[in-house]
Amino acid sequence: GENVEQHPSTLSVQEGDSAVIKCTYSDSASNYFPWYKQELGKRPQLIIDIRSNVGEKKDQRIAVTLNKTAKHFSLHITETQPEDSAVYFCAASITGNQFYFGTGTSLTVIP
Amino acid sequence: EAGVVQSPRYKIIEKKQPVAFWCNPISGHNTLYWYLQNLGQGPELLIRYENEEAVDDSQLPKDRFSAERLKGVDSTLKIQPAELGDSAVYLCASSPRDGRGLQFFGPGTRLTVL
């Protein structure tokens, strides 16, 4: 099955700086890549996603890039704010029904 | 629209006891997932339903775990007997039929086995 690796496991940035989280996947058939944000004790929430026919997608301060050749995708958060502090998970899906998650990145934004 | 509902939110039991979790997906969502999330880890699929049919239960430890989704709506996940290593958060999620892959999670049930 699919194997998704996520790095780094922890990330601390100063408020206003950018944060980048990277994921790699193993199955070239994966075609849908969502990112979830999970605050402590709360449910994972979808924050942005990208499909394999697109190389980049942006939503305000959040962007995701996809490199199908290298089989990696990244989450970029610009102008970070304290409320961005959370655990972020990447995932890869082949059919849109089966999801394989990364191990998560704990992001801390220091005021 | 109401989100995915799970109950209970927290459960503390002694080992060897049975426990059950309940999930009500978003109305109209035909796909329902149960995930296990250990501390500091990503969700791991236990079972996926398409309507009332379990289409992927390869990761469900069938010696002690069971699940059902009667009438293709609500679902129940059961552990009997529970072991210490079962302490984790059990997440339920649902997706609509449109195949776009959007997945919505419930708040989870945090299980502690003593």
Side-chain angles (χ1 to χ4, degrees):
Chain A
E2 173 69 281
N3 181 45
V4 177
E5 296 188 356
Q6 183 171 346
H7 300 280
S9 57
T10 61
L11 179 61
S12 292
V13 299
Q14 290 291 139
E15 182 177 359
D17 288 350
S18 296
V20 181
I21 303 170
K22 299 181 179 180
C23 288
T24 61
Y25 60 99
S26 60
D27 195 328
S28 56
S30 290
N31 56 13
Y32 175 61
F33 307 91
W35 285 89
Y36 294 87
K37 175 183 180 182
Q38 187 174 28
E39 296 177 34
L40 190 62
K42 296 190 176 181
R43 71 188 75 193
Q45 291 197 308
L46 178 69
I47 56 172
I48 195 167
D49 57 10
I50 191 167
R51 300 184 189 273
S52 59
N53 59 343
V54 176
E56 183 175 358
K57 184 176 178 180
K58 190 173 182 180
D59 183 3
Q60 299 183 344
R61 298 186 297 108
I62 296 174
V64 57
T65 58
L66 171 65
N67 183 326
K68 289 187 294 182
T69 303
K71 288 189 282 189
H72 69 70
F73 55 112
S74 300
L75 177 71
H76 305 254
I77 306 174
T78 58
E79 302 172 20
T80 53
Q81 302 169 2
E83 51 265 39
D84 295 329
S85 296
V87 178
Y88 292 81
F89 293 99
C90 63
S93 176
I94 298 173
T95 63
N97 288 325
Q98 289 179 288
F99 294 82
Y100 300 87
F101 286 84
T103 51
T105 297
S106 179
L107 172 65
T108 301
V109 179
I110 303 166
Chain B
E1 112 188 322
V4 177
V5 179
Q6 289 186 249
S7 69
R9 291 294 314 278
Y10 306 91
K11 189 73 176 179
I12 301 174
I13 61 171
E14 294 190 347
K15 62 180 181 182
K16 300 184 181 180
Q17 294 301 306
V19 64
F21 315 126
W22 175 79
C23 173
N24 178 240
I26 293 174
S27 178
H29 284 194
N30 67 311
T31 306
L32 184 146
Y33 312 78
W34 282 104
Y35 290 95
L36 168 73
Q37 186 176 28
N38 286 306
L39 188 63
Q41 299 293 316
E44 300 173 30
L45 182 69
L46 289 171
I47 190 168
R48 174 169 64 94
Y49 282 93
E50 296 290 343
N51 300 307
E52 65 274 11
E53 182 183 359
V55 296
D56 185 355
D57 63 355
S58 57
Q59 301 303 313
L60 189 73
K62 298 181 182 65
D63 56 336
R64 298 184 301 107
F65 285 66
S66 64
E68 60 182 12
R69 190 184 184 196
L70 300 177
K71 301 181 181 179
V73 181
D74 295 0
S75 178
T76 303
L77 178 69
K78 298 178 181 178
I79 308 175
Q80 182 171 10
E83 296 179 353
L84 294 177
D86 296 332
S87 295
V89 174
Y90 291 82
L91 291 165
C92 179
S94 69
S95 293
R97 187 187 299 273
D98 62 13
R100 293 174 55 217
L102 295 180
Q103 185 174 200
F104 299 86
F105 284 88
T109 295
R110 181 176 296 277
L111 174 67
T112 302
V113 182
L114 303 175

